[in-house]
């Protein structure tokens, strides 16, 4: 019938196509970051990029949204279970909303690139993705999981991060996908040459000097649900017993306790008095009440507080609730439906400065902060000669989430060329050298105190000095492509007659 729209493909094939894009994204999500196959990430990305260039902006949004939904569903499989003990059935709702939001960011990036760049879309996509990944790690709602550069964490190419951060590695991943999608031999040879140079750079990095200091990393292995039910003084006694027992046989230059290890801050007399006999300097996580609740790390030596660092990058909707005061009624209704009290969240820290104890200048990254390149860069630029992370990954349970968290943090050591030592409540406790090599790693899910080497460094990498130069250049590259596209449209003979196709 003339007035009715006809389908170019049968309806069942239309649905299979949609499922195919989601499945392809799911495959990428499953091999991403912690898999030995993550180096193959450009292959499914190449299929996505090719699909984006073959349709309209609306088509690009749809297929990229489906691909992104599949990717983040697989990559964040741990999320619902890690939140369920806190949010109950609401964990599934929050996880679904987050995945939909992340997929929407990918979809909008693809659609805008297709709309604005037309025939230059394919080579604009790597630049656009580089900018997007940087923006996703910015601001109070930052969430850097799924940034493309982490795909090559197991390869020598990750060593390029000391030049331009994980963003530079992500740009190489995306350029590889674009070259594969182009089918152009010259472009493929050019990108392959760049990858060979990057691999040569990674393989020829000098070995890190041996760690000349010893840290004692203490795992309390305390169930976080027990902490949530109410803090108890015996938690401090537990950590003290583990620490003293090991220090008798293995003297240490530094002791590190995990995030919120102490039930109260060492500003409390009873806590400070209990810590005073320890013979080594201590970095410990503890809650602080200072114009609101803060997640802090204290430097303590001889019972005296040498400094405090508050967590600045808070977990969205876990530690911080955007527009909490303005949306008070909505939040209260949601909390009530989930059977939760009227949560107010944690106050973010205002200052990022290394904690100084003797020669030590510890750049402290509290849990979630270790996934943010800017956080480590700021501390090292401010004089940190070692990076220290305290964490509580027990919320992840036995899932891959804790390993993802650890591997993302490992890149901070490479970006800054600093030793990185990490103490987790139930693990992962480890020491990583400035080349990203794990030189000591201890079992999860056990209580204990473990000796690990570390060293001090004062040099500054190009990434520390120049920061986000890669996404800035990527943004400028997009601007150049867009202006060239506008010039081509103006000069086209079609503009004097029938309008040119908006994307072709």
């Amino acid at each position: 019938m003339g007035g009715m729209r006809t389908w170019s493909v049968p309806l069942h094939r239309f649905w299979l196509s949609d499922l195919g894009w989601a499945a392809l994204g799911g495959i990428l999500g499953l091999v991403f970051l912690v898999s030995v196959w993550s180096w193959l990430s450009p292959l499914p990305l190449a299929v996505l990029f090719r699909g984006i260039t073959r349709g309209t902006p609306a088509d690009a949004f749809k297929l990229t949204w489906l691909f992104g939904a599949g990717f983040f569903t697989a990559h964040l499989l741990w999320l619902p279970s890690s939140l369920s003990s806190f949010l109950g059935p609401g964990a599934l709702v929050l996880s679904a909303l987050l995945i939909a939001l992340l997929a929407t960011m990918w979809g909008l990036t693809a659609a805008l690139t297709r709309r604005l760049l037309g025939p230059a879309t394919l080579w604009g996509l790597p630049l656009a993705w580089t900018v997007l990944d940087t923006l996703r790690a910015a601001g109070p709602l930052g969430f850097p999981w799924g940034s493309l550069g982490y795909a090559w964490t197991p390869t020598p190419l990750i060593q390029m991060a000391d030049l331009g951060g994980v963003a530079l590695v992500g740009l190489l991943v995306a350029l590889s996908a674009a070259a594969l999608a182009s089918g152009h031999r010259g472009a493929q040879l050019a990108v392959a040459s760049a990858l060979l140079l990057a691999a040569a750079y990674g393989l020829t990095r000098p070995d890190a000097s041996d760690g000349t200091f010893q840290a004692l990393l203490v795992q309390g292995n305390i169930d976080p649900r027990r902490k949530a039910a109410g803090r108890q003084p015996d938690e401090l006694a537990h950590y003290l017993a583990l620490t003293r027992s090991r220090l008798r046989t293995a003297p240490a230059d530094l002791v590190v306790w995990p995030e919120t290890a102490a039930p109260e801050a060492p500003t409390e007399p009873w806590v400070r008095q209990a810590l005073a006999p320890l013979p080594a300097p201590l970095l410990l996580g503890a809650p602080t009440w200072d114009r609101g609740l803060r997640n802090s790390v204290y430097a303590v030596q001889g019972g005296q507080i040498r400094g405090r660092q508050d967590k600045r990058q808070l977990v969205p909707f876990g530690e911080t609730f955007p527009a909490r005061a303005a949306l008070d009624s909505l939040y209260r209704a949601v909390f009530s439906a989930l059977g939760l009290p009227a949560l107010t969240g944690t106050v973010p820290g205002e200052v990022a400065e290394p904690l100084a104890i003797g020669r030590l200048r510890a750049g402290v990254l509290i849990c979630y902060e270790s996934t943010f390149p800017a956080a480590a860069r700021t501390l090292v630029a401010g004089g940190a000669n070692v990076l220290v992370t305290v964490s509580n990954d027990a919320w992840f349970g036995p899932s891959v989430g804790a390993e993802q968290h650890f591997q993302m943090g490992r890149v901070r050591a490479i970006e800054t060329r600093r030793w990185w030592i990490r103490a987790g409540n139930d693990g992962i406790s480890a020491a990583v050298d400035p080349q990203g090599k794990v030189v000591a790693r201890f079992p999860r899910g056990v209580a204990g105190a473990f000796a690990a080497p570390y060293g001090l460094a004062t040099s500054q990498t190009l990434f520390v000095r120049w920061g986000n130069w890669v996404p800035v250049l990527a943004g400028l590259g997009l601007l150049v492509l867009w202006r060239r596209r506008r010039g081509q449209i103006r000069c086209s003979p079609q503009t004097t007659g029938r309008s040119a196709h908006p994307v072709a």
Side-chain angles (χ1 to χ4, degrees):
M1 296 176 65
M4 295 183 64
R5 180 179 177 180
T6 60
W7 292 92
S8 58
V9 294
L11 186 60
H12 73 279
R13 291 189 61 189
F14 170 79
W15 287 113
L16 284 175
S17 175
D18 286 359
L19 290 174
W21 286 112
L24 188 63
I27 292 171
L28 177 60
L30 290 174
V31 304
F32 198 80
L33 187 58
V34 297
S35 166
V36 295
W37 301 105
S38 63
W39 61 276
L40 293 173
S41 294
L43 295 179
L45 279 174
V47 179
L48 172 66
F49 285 3
R50 190 170 180 84
I52 291 171
T53 62
R54 289 186 165 187
T56 66
D59 295 330
F61 176 85
K62 176 185 173 182
L63 67 88
T64 306
W65 190 95
L66 291 165
F67 186 98
F71 170 79
F72 284 109
T73 297
H75 187 50
L76 303 177
L77 273 175
W78 49 266
L79 188 60
S81 61
S82 68
L83 295 177
S84 61
S85 59
F86 176 60
L87 296 177
L92 284 173
V93 176
L94 182 59
S95 299
L97 289 174
L98 175 61
I99 289 167
L101 175 61
L102 294 169
T104 299
M105 290 180 181
W106 276 26
L108 288 174
T109 298
L112 285 172
T113 305
R114 184 69 178 130
R115 178 69 182 88
L116 296 176
L117 301 187
T121 294
L122 181 60
W123 296 106
L125 287 170
L127 305 178
W129 238 267
T130 301
V131 173
L132 172 64
D133 280 349
T134 302
L135 292 177
R136 286 203 300 113
L141 297 180
F143 187 79
W145 257 261
S147 296
L148 292 186
Y150 292 114
W152 282 350
T153 298
T155 75
L157 296 166
I158 196 63
Q159 299 297 328
M160 294 288 289
D162 71 345
L163 301 178
V166 73
L168 177 57
V169 186
L171 178 60
L172 291 174
V173 173
L175 283 172
S176 301
L180 290 171
S182 72
H184 190 277
R185 186 174 296 274
Q188 291 172 348
L189 286 174
V191 173
S193 299
L195 294 181
L196 286 174
L197 288 174
Y201 178 84
L203 291 170
T204 56
R205 292 308 86 204
D207 291 337
S209 58
D210 293 337
T212 55
F213 300 92
Q214 286 292 315
L216 189 67
L217 311 178
V218 186
Q219 286 185 186
N221 196 35
I222 297 175
D223 190 331
R225 291 169 293 187
R226 175 187 166 189
K227 289 185 177 184
R231 305 304 300 273
Q232 301 296 327
D234 65 351
E235 296 172 30
L236 183 65
H238 177 59
Y239 274 97
L240 283 170
L242 290 171
T243 304
R244 288 169 179 158
S245 175
R246 188 55 190 266
L247 285 177
R248 292 190 192 103
T249 58
D253 300 290
L254 176 68
V255 177
V256 185
W257 289 4
E259 181 182 22
T260 63
E264 293 185 4
T267 51
E268 296 296 323
W270 74 274
V271 177
R272 188 165 61 250
Q273 183 178 4
L275 298 176
L278 289 179
L282 170 67
L283 295 176
L284 79 155
T288 298
W289 188 265
D290 179 4
R291 293 166 294 155
L293 180 64
R294 298 171 185 264
N295 188 345
S296 306
V297 167
Y298 287 84
V300 179
Q301 186 175 30
Q304 301 298 313
I305 297 174
R306 303 299 185 187
R308 185 187 100 197
Q309 176 67 55
D310 298 333
K311 189 174 184 179
R312 300 172 69 231
Q313 192 73 48
L314 304 177
V315 179
F317 303 102
E319 294 175 310
T320 183
F321 301 94
R324 178 64 179 82
L327 301 175
D328 181 66
S329 297
L330 176 60
Y331 275 114
R332 287 180 178 273
V334 172
F335 292 148
S336 177
L338 295 174
L340 298 172
L343 303 174
T344 56
T346 305
V347 179
E350 295 91 13
V351 179
E353 294 180 347
L355 296 180
I357 306 178
R359 295 173 55 191
L360 181 76
R361 300 291 184 272
V364 174
L365 302 166
I366 303 175
C367 194
Y368 188 55
E369 291 179 325
S370 66
T371 65
F372 290 85
R377 175 182 169 264
T378 298
L379 289 165
V380 171
N385 52 21
V386 64
L387 295 176
V388 180
T389 290
V390 300
S391 188
N392 182 8
D393 289 350
W395 293 104
F396 288 118
S399 73
V400 74
E403 186 66 29
Q404 290 177 355
H405 192 195
F406 174 70
Q407 294 296 337
M408 292 170 75
R410 189 170 68 85
V411 179
R412 308 290 83 81
I414 299 170
E415 289 171 336
T416 60
R417 297 302 182 193
R418 290 293 185 271
W419 279 84
W420 178 51
I421 52 179
R422 188 183 198 273
N425 171 35
D426 76 329
I428 299 169
S429 297
V432 176
D433 76 10
Q435 309 307 320
K437 179 183 177 182
V438 181
V439 297
R441 176 171 173 154
F442 308 104
R444 286 195 71 196
V446 297
F450 308 101
Y454 72 94
L456 305 180
T458 57
S459 62
Q460 291 194 348
T461 64
L462 186 66
F463 172 68
V464 171
R465 294 196 301 270
W466 288 14
N468 287 329
W469 64 270
V470 171
V472 169
L473 287 183
L476 292 175
L478 286 171
L479 182 61
V480 169
L481 291 175
W482 174 68
R483 288 180 65 86
R484 180 179 297 177
R485 167 66 174 156
R486 290 191 65 188
Q488 290 172 345
I489 292 176
R490 289 196 187 100
C491 295
S492 173
Q494 292 181 354
T495 58
T496 59
R498 191 165 45 187
S499 298
H501 193 282
V503 296

